[in-house]
Amino acid sequence: MSCIVLIVDDAEQCAETLEVALSGLSGVDVVAADSAEQALQTMLERRVCAIITDLHLPRMSGFDLIRRVREQPGYTHVPILVISGDSDPCTPGRIRALGANAFFPKPYSPSAVRKKLEMLLNE
């Protein structure tokens, strides 16, 4: 059975970059959502084993998405990685307090995201 890694980003190019970086990961299918609402809907329909999200999304923010994911039964330990151009120095601490596992400021290294994801999935 394959594992779904959900990429949540309203910038199509960012999502595509991550999809390419994650392609070839054994047993992983990458699914993209362009909003937090779409991500939550995908989680209802399919079992997601990791989430990579931006913070600045239309309507519901990535902060709210992280909080909502952690409230879902079965999703308290699913790895959440955040990629954002948010320059607020409090952001990394804020997302960790909400339950995210890693923060990558833009510009970021797609290979570093892949390595961190692999590490979290194998814990």
Side-chain angles (χ1 to χ4, degrees), residues 1-13:
M1 187 175 103
S2 66
C3 159
I4 302 289
V5 174
L6 183 57
I7 297 171
V8 189
D9 200 319
D10 59 328
E12 192 176 325
Q13 186 177 359

Side-chain angles (χ1 to χ4, degrees), residues 43-57:
M43 289 170 52
L44 291 174
E45 297 165 359
R46 302 174 78 175
R47 183 75 188 137
V48 173
C49 65
I51 298 168
I52 302 173
T53 186
D54 189 9
L55 292 176
H56 300 287
L57 300 165

Side-chain angles (χ1 to χ4, degrees), residues 75-103:
Y75 281 95
T76 54
H77 298 294
V78 167
I80 300 175
L81 292 78
V82 175
I83 297 171
S84 180
D86 192 313
S87 60
D88 184 331
C90 296
T91 295
R94 206 174 144 202
I95 59 136
R96 284 197 177 84
L98 288 169
N101 301 84
F103 178 72

Side-chain angles (χ1 to χ4, degrees), residues 14-71:
C14 292
E16 287 174 0
T17 298
L18 283 169
E19 286 182 60
V20 169
L22 301 178
S23 66
L25 273 179
S26 180
V28 170
D29 286 333
V30 179
V31 174
D34 63 7
S35 69
E37 294 85 355
Q38 185 182 358
L40 291 168
Q41 184 61 41
T42 299
M43 289 170 52
L44 291 174
E45 297 165 359
R46 302 174 78 175
R47 183 75 188 137
V48 173
C49 65
I51 298 168
I52 302 173
T53 186
D54 189 9
L55 292 176
H56 300 287
L57 300 165
R59 297 175 303 283
M60 184 191 303
S61 74
F63 294 105
D64 291 332
L65 174 63
I66 296 166
R67 184 181 48 74
R68 295 272 301 271
V69 167
R70 289 299 183 226
E71 291 171 353

